[in-house]
Amino acid sequence: MTGAVLGSTTACQGPIRALGYVGLRSVEPAAWVPFAAEVMGMQALPGWLPDSLRLRIDERAFRYLIVKGERPALDVLGFDVGDEAGMAHIARRLEAAGKAVERSMGEQAALRSVDGLMATTDAEGNRVEFFHGLADAADAFSPGRPIGGFRSGALGPGHAVLLVHDFAAQSRFYREVLGCGVSDFHAEPFPAEFLHVNARHHTVGLIGTDAAPGVHHLMCEYEHLDDLGRAYDIALRNPDSIGVSLGRHLNDHVTSFYLRAPDGFLIELGWAGRLIDPASWVPEELASPSLWGHVRHWLPAERRARAEAMTRAMGDAGVRAPVHVTRSGAFEWPPAG
Ligand SMILES: [Fe+2]
């Protein structure tokens, strides 16, 4: 494992518009139904393959696909490149980098509900797809519990953070081949780099690890703080389900906690992430991953202690960040719908 290295290309300059979808392999996809619907408030529906699920959080046909696998793993990251021109642009970038590109995927495109689909692998073998035209569902999003919705749309459904073994190679792939821009990075308490493709502070994150590469966590964002609080209430009934306690990130200003999902995946549930201007953003090194909270049960004890010391130093210095309220300013009683 090598540390976070800020390479020469830091600006956002590729055709990727947003994260579109994420696929996970699960040993028991059915276990995701109550977790997704009753804990997170997503809509869980049968997938298009046997023993699979699709999870909705907005008007689109799906944002997460849970497919049957021998062991838990990231199945795919899907990026929206907007249109045919975007597909051609990303294909040129991949081919210039010597990456194999899978095309003419008619049947696969139908399984993804997209108009066009192409695939490659990143520097560590994770499957990465590019698409345009992800279809809307025939009916409106129907949450699994009465929440006021997730923040998605043009920002995409959230972010994906990968565990990375060869940090420099993976960073080069996402920055220089895909054209993601660097938002910020830190070397301690673990090497990490955060990358943007639109105004969402980060859509992809990389965390250096000595363990096997894979997915570290997926993040999705509620529109309303109260919905995040209720998710925390539900999680507190089973404290072992909390992988990272409630806290606030220094970089994207998100208030969040991390749940242990079925198969051991971490899902960050957040609220009020800040928006950035990719055209003028200057990457910076972070003094701490978090402003407060976020006790990281996934970290080895020594690194966890370092993380907690860095977070305490934020408090000792009185560092505070503005709150970026989304739609939750409107008080609705009785609730709409
Ligand atoms: Fe995150």
Side-chain angles (χ1 to χ4, degrees):
M1 180 185 76
T2 52
V5 177
L6 194 60
S8 54
T9 309
T10 59
C12 179
Q13 27 95 36
I16 294 176
R17 297 189 184 182
L19 180 67
Y21 54 81
V22 180
L24 297 175
R25 274 178 241 151
S26 163
V27 295
E28 193 191 355
W32 279 80
V33 174
F35 174 76
E38 293 159 25
V39 181
M40 297 194 291
M42 296 181 179
Q43 184 177 6
L45 296 159
W48 295 289
L49 292 170
D51 207 5
S52 74
L53 292 176
R54 60 191 167 105
L55 306 181
R56 289 184 59 194
I57 67 164
D58 59 13
E59 73 284 2
R60 301 302 173 102
F62 74 99
R63 290 298 196 173
Y64 302 95
L65 287 176
I66 313 294
V67 298
K68 178 82 176 168
E70 299 270 295
R71 64 185 74 82
L74 177 66
D75 193 55
V76 64
L77 291 179
F79 291 105
D80 188 347
V81 295
D83 51 26
E84 281 294 343
M87 298 287 275
H89 184 179
I90 200 75
R92 283 197 302 277
R93 297 179 73 101
L94 292 167
E95 280 159 3
K99 297 297 294 186
V101 178
E102 206 179 314
R103 299 165 191 270
S104 304
M105 301 166 63
E107 194 182 328
Q108 276 287 329
L111 284 173
R112 301 280 196 249
S113 292
V114 296
D115 291 336
L117 188 67
M118 210 167 60
T120 191
T121 53
D122 68 16
E124 301 212 306
N126 300 305
R127 182 178 175 85
V128 178
E129 294 179 349
F130 308 94
F131 71 87
H132 67 95
L134 176 60
D136 285 352
D139 49 359
F141 169 58
S142 174
R145 60 182 176 85
I147 63 165
F150 290 92
R151 195 180 191 193
S152 181
L155 297 174
H159 63 238
V161 173
L162 302 176
L163 285 169
V164 170
H165 197 73
D166 186 340
F167 202 102
Q170 197 68 313
S171 175
R172 266 199 311 277
F173 175 81
Y174 283 94
R175 284 185 295 106
E176 294 176 12
V177 182
L178 300 195
C180 302
V182 180
S183 302
D184 44 36
F185 57 97
H186 54 74
E188 292 288 342
F190 47 84
E193 193 170 81
F194 300 92
L195 306 168
H196 59 264
V197 296
N198 56 37
R200 188 182 278 288
H201 174 276
H202 57 281
T203 287
V204 174
L206 308 176
I207 288 181
T209 179
D210 292 320
V215 63
H216 179 267
H217 73 267
L218 304 176
M219 179 270 206
C220 50
E221 192 178 350
Y222 294 110
E223 289 281 7
H224 296 257
L225 176 62
D226 295 328
D227 292 333
L228 175 66
R230 287 175 187 138
Y232 203 56
D233 279 351
I234 294 167
L236 283 170
R237 292 176 205 154
N238 175 17
D240 290 344
S241 72
I242 299 173
V244 178
S245 67
L246 190 68
R248 192 157 184 234
H249 283 301
L250 175 61
N251 63 353
D252 63 2
H253 298 174
V254 152
T255 300
S256 66
F257 73 101
Y258 296 49
L259 272 173
R260 284 195 195 285
D263 303 283
F265 292 109
L266 281 175
I267 308 273
E268 180 181 11
L269 297 176
W271 173 73
R274 72 161 147 175
L275 301 182
I276 64 165
D277 176 5
S280 60
W281 184 261
V282 177
E284 57 188 359
E285 183 162 9
L286 295 164
S288 168
S290 299
L291 284 157
W292 52 267
H294 281 162
V295 174
R296 291 168 171 81
H297 301 288
W298 60 271
L299 268 180
E302 192 253 338
R303 283 185 187 267
R304 190 192 311 166
R306 230 181 300 169
E308 289 175 16
M310 293 170 84
T311 304
R312 271 199 306 278
M314 290 281 104
D316 292 344
V319 179
R320 286 172 291 273
V323 173
H324 313 275
V325 172
T326 55
R327 285 189 209 156
S328 54
F331 180 70
E332 295 168 7
W333 189 264

